[in-house]
Amino acid sequence: MARVRCYAGSTYPERPEAFEWEGAEKQVDRILQRWRTPEAIGFRVRTEDGMIFDLIYDLRWDQWTVIPLTAPSP
């Protein structure tokens, strides 16, 4: 199960701030896209080191999935 730290104002999750990837914490620099389906809330984010990830929160199971879309810089 993935760990994602979010800001939660009036709803959860309102905005992801950081998440764990391969044992390290990644800070979210920018939210590039948001979407919602009946089962999930998704965010495409760019991290401070320039990587792009999809963070998907499954509403039914109260759990996150982290999907890398770019490789880390060498």
Side-chain angles (χ1 to χ4, degrees):
M1 180 192 304
R3 295 179 137 193
V4 178
R5 182 170 36 95
C6 291
Y7 171 79
S10 60
T11 60
Y12 179 85
E14 194 167 315
R15 179 180 69 240
E17 296 177 336
F19 59 95
E20 188 176 310
W21 176 250
E22 296 185 341
E25 184 172 274
K26 297 279 194 182
Q27 297 294 318
V28 173
D29 179 56
R30 177 170 293 193
I31 296 171
L32 304 174
Q33 185 179 0
R34 301 170 193 251
W35 65 91
R36 185 178 184 109
T37 68
E39 298 85 23
I41 300 171
F43 301 90
R44 180 158 294 162
V45 300
R46 183 176 62 216
T47 59
E48 289 181 342
D49 62 0
M51 291 181 68
I52 307 293
F53 289 85
D54 279 350
L55 308 177
I56 302 168
Y57 179 67
D58 188 315
L59 296 162
R60 299 164 297 174
W61 300 105
D62 186 30
Q63 72 182 43
W64 286 94
T65 301
V66 176
I67 303 168
L69 300 177
T70 59
S73 301

